[in-house]
């Protein structure tokens, strides 16, 4: 007998027994308070035709959907090891939490990493380690080329692009207040300049995406006059043109309708409670020279602030064409942000997130080498973003050629993110990636801003101690030869073997 038939028989028997007993003992009818709803649910399960499992297994079939809903929590808390979690494992999540709270971030009993597994990487230390790197634990990088009138002194580590809309107002407030306290920059993401980005006075990198949110016409085109009004604000230190992002390159941004409130729609200049899909490419330009001219326009309208662009590397020839356009037009960006294909986002199609975009280390080496080959690197700073959590992550990225780094998910974790993987559902349980007023109330801006500042400070201190152990006093002196990667059990290569340097200006010959 099938479960459905068993349910029908058992339900009839229960009702008959209760009815029979009630003839002589009325209190038995109270048992219907328990059995009645169960029988009604089971009847509904049999009648409905949408879910086969529930139809075939009334009542108990719901257990399957319950377990499916709590599977991420079961995996995270009971199944996965400290080094297996995805996308950020527990080792690094714990590291962020500890540094944000300024608690003990040391580990006992040695590394949990398999040091003989292909892909394991490490930094060469020196017998002659530096002793005073803590005096330079927060180096600054000047961003601004020869045509920049207002160069910006940036921290080595900054907050990567995350929009208001994707994140809650309390999350934005806490991030910006933390940036103000720690003296580092906060990238607005493509969602525009919100009051919450401006309220606490932290330094901002204003990102201009393909939707031109905050500086668009009613038709969705770029509006230079609106841009000029906001770009000249004191808080705005740099302007970043978003060409593509690592988590969904070539796709454009996605803001689900459930997170598109009236306030967010007003800031972005769109219709509330609708899905907001940024175009996959810009309408203000359609060629390499067009991008250079757009850079020049933004530089003029911002009164000479640093202008750059962000991209996830796709077709290499297209980036080479950009370098040629820089030479032919004489217009150069002040910085280029390289976003790795492993980058995070609040919402992205699975195929784009998993199968499009060059990973950060490969992309960074290519961009650096191409700029060097065209003799352009001396004028352009490189910012790198893509799963940067620890001091070692910073060190290996600087060694590959970046001048500074951005981090998004680590900053979210410092806010209290528990990697619930509900960023795209508006149900973030810790109030970080949601527009639910009820959920975001739990995110205390004053407390979390301290944690953001703490994480920034402690991570850069760790980075400083790390390169000091390598005998390197200045981050700019980190080279590819300092980083090792095991490629198989018996072979170890240095980064300059895997990513060999090229001669400066060699592409011009």
């Amino acid at each position: 007998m099938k479960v459905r038939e068993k349910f029908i028989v058992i339900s009839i028997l229960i009702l008959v027994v209760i009815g029979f007993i009630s003839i002589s003992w009325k209190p038995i009818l109270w048992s219907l308070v328990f059995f009645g709803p169960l029988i009604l649910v089971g009847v509904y399960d049999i009648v409905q035709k949408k879910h086969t499992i529930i139809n075939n297994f009334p009542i108990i079939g719901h257990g399957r959907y319950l377990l499916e809903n709590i599977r991420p929590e079961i995996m995270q808390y009971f199944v996965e090891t400290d080094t297996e979690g995805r996308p950020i494992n527990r080792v690094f999540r714990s590291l962020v939490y500890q540094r944000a709270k300024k608690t003990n971030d040391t580990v006992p009993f040695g590394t949990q990493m398999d040091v003989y597994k292909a892909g394991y990487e490490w930094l060469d230390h020196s017998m002659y380690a530096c002793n005073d790197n803590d005096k330079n634990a927060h180096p600054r990088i000047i961003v601004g080329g020869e045509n920049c009138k207002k160069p910006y002194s940036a921290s080595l580590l900054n907050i990567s692009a995350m929009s208001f809309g994707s994140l809650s107002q309390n999350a934005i407030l806490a991030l910006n207040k933390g940036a103000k306290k720690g003296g580092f920059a906060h990238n607005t993401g493509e969602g525009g300049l919100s009051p919450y980005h401006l309220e606490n006075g932290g330094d901002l990198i204003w990102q201009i995406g393909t939707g031109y949110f905050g500086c668009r016409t009613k038709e969705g085109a770029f509006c230079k006059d609106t841009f000029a009004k906001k770009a000249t604000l004191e808080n705005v230190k740099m302007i970043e043109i978003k060409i593509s992002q690592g988590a969904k390159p070539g796709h454009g941004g996605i803001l689900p309708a459930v997170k598109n409130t009236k306030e967010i729609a007003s800031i972005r200049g769109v219709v509330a409670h609708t899905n907001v899909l940024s175009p996959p490419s810009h309408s203000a330009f359609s060629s390499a020279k067009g991008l250079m001219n757009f850079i020049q326009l933004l530089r003029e309208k911002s009164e000479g602030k640093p202008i750059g662009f962000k991209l996830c590397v796709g077709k290499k020839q297209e980036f080479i064409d950009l370098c040629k356009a820089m030479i032919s037009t004489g217009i150069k960006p002040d910085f280029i942000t390289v976003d790795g294909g492993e980058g995070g986002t609040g919402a992205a199609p699975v195929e784009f997130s998993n199968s499009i975009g060059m990973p950060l280390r490969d992309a960074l080496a290519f961009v650096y080498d191409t700029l060097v080959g065209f003799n352009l690197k001396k004028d352009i700073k490189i910012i790198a973003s893509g799963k940067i959590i620890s001091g070692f992550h910073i060190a290996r990225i600087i060694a590959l050629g970046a001048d500074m780094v951005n981090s998004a998910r680590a900053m979210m974790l410092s806010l209290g993110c528990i990697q619930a993987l509900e960023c795209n559902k508006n149900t973030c349980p810790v109030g970080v990636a949601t527009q639910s007023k009820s959920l975001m109330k739990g995110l205390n801006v004053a407390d979390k801003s301290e944690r953001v500042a703490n994480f920034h400070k402690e991570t850069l201190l760790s980075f400083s101690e790390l390169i000091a152990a390598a005998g390197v006093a200045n981050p700019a002196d980190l080279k590819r030869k300092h980083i090792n990667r095991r490629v198989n059990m018996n072979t170890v290569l240095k980064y300059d073997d895997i990513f060999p340097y090229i001669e400066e200006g060699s592409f011009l010959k």
Side-chain angles (χ1 to χ4, degrees):
M1 188 181 293
K2 305 296 184 182
V3 172
R4 186 194 303 108
E5 287 75 18
K6 286 181 179 179
F7 167 78
I8 294 171
V9 171
I10 291 171
S11 297
I12 292 172
L13 285 174
I14 288 173
L15 292 174
V16 169
V17 170
I18 291 174
F20 181 76
I21 296 175
S22 68
I23 296 173
S24 57
W25 190 56
K26 297 298 183 184
I28 192 66
L29 293 174
W30 282 102
S31 63
L32 289 174
V33 173
F34 174 75
F35 289 112
L38 287 178
I39 292 173
L40 289 174
V41 169
V43 170
Y44 171 79
D45 291 346
I46 293 172
V47 171
Q48 65 83 35
K49 303 300 180 184
K50 185 176 180 180
H51 301 288
T52 303
I53 287 179
I54 292 176
N55 184 277
N56 288 336
F57 300 89
I59 299 178
I60 63 175
H62 291 278
R64 183 260 186 189
Y65 297 100
L66 173 63
L67 291 173
E68 188 177 57
N69 283 335
I70 63 174
R71 181 181 181 275
E73 288 79 7
I74 292 174
M75 291 294 297
Q76 184 176 141
Y77 296 116
F78 301 108
V79 178
E80 69 186 29
T81 69
D82 287 349
T83 59
E84 288 178 340
R86 295 289 185 272
I88 310 294
N89 67 37
R90 182 162 292 279
V91 169
F92 290 123
R93 295 203 305 272
S94 297
L95 179 66
V96 175
Y97 297 147
Q98 289 159 355
R99 288 180 174 167
K101 297 175 184 177
K102 296 196 78 170
T103 59
N104 184 5
D105 65 352
T106 59
V107 294
F109 228 66
T111 181
Q112 295 187 48
M113 305 295 182
D114 183 351
V115 299
Y116 296 104
K117 183 179 180 181
Y120 176 72
E121 296 180 338
W122 69 94
L123 175 73
D124 283 338
H125 69 283
S126 172
M127 292 173 58
Y128 312 105
C130 300
N131 295 317
D132 58 352
N133 267 33
D134 58 330
K135 296 178 182 178
N136 190 32
H138 298 280
R140 311 295 293 188
I141 294 88
I142 303 298
V143 183
E146 58 184 0
N147 295 317
C148 178
K149 297 178 182 178
K150 297 180 179 179
Y152 175 58
S153 176
S155 171
L156 189 71
L157 170 63
N158 302 285
I159 301 172
S160 197
M162 293 181 284
S163 302
F164 172 55
S166 178
L167 300 192
S168 69
Q169 66 183 58
N170 283 15
I172 295 294
L173 286 168
L175 287 171
N176 194 258
K177 192 171 185 178
K180 178 70 173 179
K181 290 178 179 180
F184 52 101
H186 177 194
N187 192 309
T188 65
E190 67 173 318
L193 279 170
S194 74
Y196 312 111
H197 285 106
L198 299 166
E199 183 174 319
N200 289 304
D203 291 350
L204 294 172
I205 302 171
W206 183 19
Q207 187 182 89
I208 309 299
T210 55
Y212 306 117
F213 300 125
C215 56
R216 61 188 263 144
T217 64
K218 291 181 179 179
E219 295 75 27
F222 175 71
C223 178
K224 60 183 180 181
D225 295 327
T226 309
F227 168 81
K229 291 177 182 178
K230 297 179 180 179
T232 52
L233 292 172
E234 179 59 29
N235 299 52
V236 177
K237 303 300 181 182
M238 303 201 300
I239 314 294
E240 179 180 82
I241 304 164
K242 179 190 143 183
I243 297 176
S244 58
Q245 69 182 96
K248 46 192 173 188
H251 190 279
I254 303 173
L255 181 67
V258 69
K259 298 176 77 170
N260 182 19
T261 65
K262 288 184 178 180
E263 180 183 32
I264 291 167
S266 175
I267 291 168
R268 295 194 177 203
V270 297
V271 178
H273 308 302
T274 61
N275 289 321
V276 180
L277 306 176
S278 305
S281 59
H282 282 264
S283 60
F285 57 88
S286 57
S287 65
K289 288 187 177 180
L291 173 56
M292 297 307 122
N293 291 329
F294 190 57
I295 288 172
Q296 184 61 26
L297 173 64
L298 299 193
R299 185 173 284 143
E300 292 170 0
K301 294 297 179 180
S302 66
E303 299 180 351
K305 292 183 178 180
I307 310 295
F309 60 85
K310 169 183 175 177
L311 84 167
C312 176
V313 176
K315 295 180 179 179
K316 290 184 177 181
Q317 185 59 48
E318 291 180 347
F319 186 78
I320 293 171
D321 291 341
L322 291 179
C323 292
K324 292 178 178 178
M326 294 175 202
I327 295 170
S328 65
T329 63
I331 303 169
K332 304 168 190 174
D334 298 293
F335 66 93
I336 296 173
T337 302
V338 181
D339 199 17
E342 65 270 41
T345 180
V350 172
E351 293 86 352
F352 279 77
S353 189
N354 289 346
S355 307
I356 292 187
M358 190 181 295
L360 176 59
R361 278 167 273 174
D362 304 274
L364 175 59
F366 165 72
V367 168
Y368 176 85
D369 291 342
T370 304
L371 290 176
V372 169
F374 282 102
N375 200 24
L376 292 166
K377 178 62 189 72
K378 64 183 185 300
D379 302 313
I380 301 170
K381 294 294 189 291
I382 297 178
I383 306 173
S385 61
K387 221 170 183 179
I388 295 171
I389 310 289
S390 71
F392 175 72
H393 293 159
I394 298 175
R396 82 182 164 194
I397 292 304
I398 299 296
L400 272 173
D403 297 287
M404 47 198 278
V405 301
N406 288 345
S407 181
R409 281 171 287 189
M411 295 296 181
M412 289 176 68
L413 290 167
S414 72
L415 284 176
C417 167
I418 61 171
Q419 196 169 274
L421 305 181
E422 296 186 13
C423 312
N424 59 332
K425 300 177 182 177
N426 203 38
T427 53
C428 172
V430 292
V432 175
T434 179
Q435 296 308 309
S436 166
K437 298 291 185 183
S438 175
L439 290 171
M440 75 174 72
K441 277 184 180 179
L443 198 160
N444 183 285
V445 173
D447 176 60
K448 301 304 183 184
S449 64
E450 284 288 345
R451 295 191 183 190
V452 171
N454 288 343
F455 169 73
H456 176 269
K457 179 180 179 181
E458 296 301 315
T459 301
L460 283 186
L461 179 59
S462 169
F463 165 76
S464 179
E465 292 174 343
L466 196 69
I467 65 172
V472 175
N474 190 319
D477 294 329
L478 269 176
K479 303 299 179 186
R480 296 176 184 180
K481 66 181 181 181
H482 290 109
I483 309 294
N484 304 275
R485 179 191 289 174
R486 182 176 297 284
V487 294
N488 59 51
M489 175 65 78
N490 301 310
T491 306
V492 173
L493 296 177
K494 291 188 176 295
Y495 264 19
D496 58 354
D497 294 320
I498 301 170
F499 306 105
Y501 287 109
I502 65 169
E503 182 184 350
E504 187 171 3
S506 59
F507 290 174
L508 297 173
K509 296 178 181 178

